[in-house]
Amino acid sequence: MAKAKKRILFVASEAAPFIATGGLADVIGSLPKALAASKRFDVRVVLPLYEDVKAEYRKDFRFLGSINVPLAWRRQYCGYFEYKLDGVTFYFVDNEYYFKRHGCYGHYDDGERFAFFSKAACELMSFVGFYPNVLHCHDWQAALAALYLKTYYCHRSEFSQVKAVFTIHNIEYQGKYSLDILEDVLDISNAHRDLVEYDGAVNLMKGAIECCERVTTVSPTYADEIRYSFFAHGLDPIIRRNAWKLCGILNGIDYDYYNPQTDKALFANYSAEDVSGKATCKKQLQRMLNLPERNGVPIVAVISRLASHKGLDLVKAVLEEFIANNDVQFVLLGTGEYEYEQFFRGLAARHPDKVSANIAFNGDLSRKIYSGADLFLMPSKSEPCGLSQMIASRYGTVAVVRETGGLQDSITPYGAGGNGFTFHNYNAHDMLYVLREAVELFRNKKEWNELVIKAMTSDFSWSKSAESYGQMYIEMTK
Ligand code: GLC
């Protein structure tokens, strides 16, 4: 007889291809699929049904029914929808009062919205009769699902065997609220106040770390780093105390979704066996961005949210010097803090034949840049995992990264036989030094092409990492 599959329920606030604002969506869109492919897991995912969920999918969602979800004294309408994709069942929680607004986050009542969502995720288990072996909650928006499970639902026999995992995608966002709303809005009994109270406030991430059987984060190096105050945004004592149940598992990327051989957004397709199409991608990108069409000049690209922890202060400090003194082109794609947007706009105005600044969020253009550029710069101050350096590598664009978090775990220095360029200190001239080194190597066609192939053939698929998650689920439910 075939062994029964382990049941896993993911709770998360976004997932590709339905709704995406960041790397979390990539992970929730691809890890369940990789787990389901192993045939050992029945993986399901629950998400909020935001207004912005893509209509092309939404029109095919199947309505399962509705209930009233209790949230403290409230009784809130909750509709459940279902959609199956790549062997994974996705559930969507509908409530127009909470979710019929633009944008996923940043509303005044986010605490209440995600408390409702987390409650609805717990109620879903009874509603569809799916009691998972593991409830896997991601980031603070889903932290309350683990808290409700471990403080309330676990007293019912159907839930008593459900284990919980919490994954930290970025420790900067913890879900902090005033203690005043503990019972009335967040529906946490005063008896459990100790679990969530931290620094005089409710801290939802802290609560989930305390009450889950396992805690993971998205790279081994980040799992180490967050034991220190420089990285932990105040949570380092909690991380150190719970270090025994914490591990880091490096994210992968979806190899079907990011495939230079089939990607329709590209000007030409190519592979590690035949890279010739990449030159076409470069030429067309230069044409599109009004840069001189020269194959012999390296294109350095940055695709990033324009926020300071992405290392943009280093870029600001030395990029102009780098561009003025070297035969290079520079392409930026991203939006964010005004200071950086203005810097890149100014740079492009001063060097129109060398710099293209695209202040936008544009998936199609990002793929054209990943494929058309030669070097991909990502000098983050901290980076839990980072996916762009992996996507760039897969498209044969060599990554230049700072050695932190997942950047350190995915990109290794060329000099030591690795797949990219790295620097250690958060120092603009250290970055400048490796950039010059990279541009130097670019002039040596033979060695450069070998490095491009090395980057393209590095394994960033989910297979290894999904296996690590799978092992963890199996161990914790023995
Ligand atoms: C967060 C992190 C990023 C990581 C992503 C997926 O966005 O900042 O480094 O790659 O989550 O885990």
Side-chain angles (χ1 to χ4, degrees):
M1 201 178 78
K3 256 199 165 148
K5 289 184 183 179
K6 293 266 183 205
R7 297 176 303 276
I8 315 294
L9 181 62
F10 276 53
V11 187
S13 56
E14 51 182 279
F18 309 106
I19 176 93
T21 73
L24 172 65
D26 284 282
V27 174
I28 307 302
S30 51
L31 171 58
K33 173 175 158 186
L35 285 164
S38 78
K39 306 273 180 239
R40 289 177 295 154
F41 303 99
D42 178 351
V43 193
R44 309 192 186 184
V45 181
V46 49
L47 298 161
L49 184 56
Y50 305 103
E51 171 79 355
D52 294 346
V53 166
K54 281 193 194 142
E56 53 184 300
Y57 295 101
R58 195 176 179 140
K59 67 179 187 353
D60 295 323
F61 290 0
R62 191 164 76 87
F63 181 61
L64 297 179
S66 70
I67 59 169
N68 284 321
V69 164
L71 187 66
W73 47 268
R74 301 166 189 77
R75 297 291 173 272
Q76 302 289 39
Y77 169 87
C78 169
Y80 291 117
F81 287 83
E82 183 193 71
Y83 184 77
K84 294 193 182 172
L85 184 65
D86 298 325
V88 179
T89 302
F90 290 87
Y91 296 109
F92 292 84
V93 170
D94 177 36
N95 174 301
E96 296 197 340
Y97 168 66
Y98 291 125
F99 300 127
K100 198 177 163 70
R101 320 173 184 185
H102 287 297
C104 299
Y105 320 115
H107 298 286
Y108 76 95
D109 56 349
D110 278 1
E112 181 177 334
R113 295 169 71 228
F114 290 104
F116 165 77
F117 168 64
S118 297
K119 248 314 167 54
C122 290
E123 292 289 332
L124 171 78
M125 299 184 238
S126 311
F127 182 79
V128 295
F130 183 76
Y131 297 99
N133 299 97
V134 178
L135 182 71
H136 192 157
C137 304
H138 296 263
D139 274 352
W140 76 263
Q141 292 89 347
L144 276 168
L147 274 152
Y148 295 144
L149 174 73
K150 292 296 166 191
T151 58
Y152 175 74
Y153 290 91
C154 63
H155 302 303
R156 295 198 215 156
S157 64
E158 319 86 87
F159 291 90
S160 63
Q161 300 300 318
V162 181
K163 300 279 195 293
V165 176
F166 183 68
T167 294
I168 302 170
H169 291 264
N170 192 337
I171 205 164
E172 191 173 345
Y173 309 106
Q174 300 171 2
K176 292 188 198 172
Y177 292 95
S178 158
L179 280 163
D180 298 343
I181 66 167
L182 182 74
E183 297 196 270
D184 181 65
V185 175
L186 300 177
D187 199 4
I188 301 170
S189 133
N190 207 34
H192 297 119
R193 182 186 172 119
D194 282 358
L195 270 180
V196 292
E197 183 170 355
Y198 193 62
D199 261 352
V202 175
N203 187 313
L204 298 177
M205 183 173 270
K206 184 252 183 190
I209 293 170
E210 299 282 16
C211 77
C212 284
E213 276 85 4
R214 297 290 182 95
V215 178
T216 75
T217 185
V218 289
S219 69
T221 296
Y222 194 60
D224 274 344
E225 288 172 342
I226 55 177
R227 289 159 47 226
Y228 301 97
S229 59
F230 180 82
F231 292 97
H233 294 269
L235 278 185
D236 41 305
I238 304 300
I239 295 292
R240 284 197 295 273
R241 188 146 53 76
N242 288 283
W244 59 275
K245 61 176 170 181
L246 170 71
C247 75
I249 302 175
L250 192 68
N251 289 330
I253 53 171
D254 188 324
Y255 264 35
D256 303 328
Y257 192 60
Y258 295 111
N259 184 352
Q261 220 170 345
T262 54
D263 194 330
K264 295 211 170 53
L266 269 46
F267 289 115
N269 291 113
Y270 55 95
S271 66
E273 287 72 48
D274 176 10
V275 202
S276 55
K278 192 166 165 65
T280 311
C281 292
K282 178 168 179 176
K283 190 179 166 68
Q284 295 292 338
L285 179 69
Q286 287 169 324
R287 179 171 300 174
M288 183 178 169
L289 301 179
N290 287 322
L291 293 168
E293 287 171 40
R294 294 172 48 210
N295 192 35
V297 58
I299 302 183
V300 181
V302 168
I303 302 178
S304 175
R305 220 160 12 95
L306 303 181
S308 108
H309 80 261
K310 293 289 181 188
L312 295 168
D313 299 320
L314 304 189
V315 174
K316 235 182 113 173
V318 296
L319 191 63
E320 185 133 29
E321 178 185 343
F322 175 64
I323 285 169
N325 298 331
N326 292 277
D327 184 20
V328 294
Q329 295 180 348
F330 177 82
V331 173
L332 166 94
L333 175 64
T335 60
E337 290 166 26
Y338 183 71
E339 170 194 351
Y340 302 118
E341 292 189 353
Q342 284 304 83
F343 166 73
F344 287 116
R345 283 197 185 100
L347 195 70
R350 289 189 296 278
H351 306 273
D353 54 337
K354 287 185 159 185
V355 177
S356 164
N358 305 276
I359 309 296
F361 182 90
N362 182 333
D364 183 75
L365 180 56
S366 77
R367 287 163 185 262
K368 291 186 165 66
I369 298 174
Y370 281 126
S371 56
D374 298 291
L375 286 157
F376 187 82
L377 177 62
M378 197 164 173
S380 307
K381 194 182 279 173
S382 75
E383 195 61 68
C385 177
L387 302 171
S388 317
Q389 80 280 15
M390 301 186 194
I391 302 170
S393 300
R394 174 128 165 100
Y395 284 64
T397 297
V398 175
V400 179
V401 306
R402 194 176 92 80
E403 293 162 15
T404 184
L407 296 176
Q408 176 166 338
D409 295 335
S410 55
I411 304 299
T412 47
Y414 164 74
N419 57 359
F421 293 89
T422 73
F423 62 101
H424 185 73
N425 292 324
Y426 192 69
N427 177 301
H429 282 91
D430 287 8
M431 178 184 85
L432 184 60
Y433 184 85
V434 289
L435 273 175
R436 288 206 190 109
E437 211 179 18
V439 167
E440 195 64 31
L441 191 76
F442 177 82
R443 319 251 171 247
N444 179 336
K445 278 298 146 226
K446 184 172 166 293
E447 286 188 43
W448 182 259
N449 288 339
E450 280 166 17
L451 179 57
V452 167
I453 302 300
K454 183 133 208 172
M456 289 187 82
T457 51
S458 306
D459 183 8
F460 297 129
S461 73
W462 267 107
S463 42
K464 249 188 304 175
S465 312
E467 186 58 33
S468 307
Y469 280 105
Q471 266 167 17
M472 175 180 71
Y473 298 146
I474 287 169
E475 258 168 48
M476 65 190 289
T477 54
K478 257 191 200 140

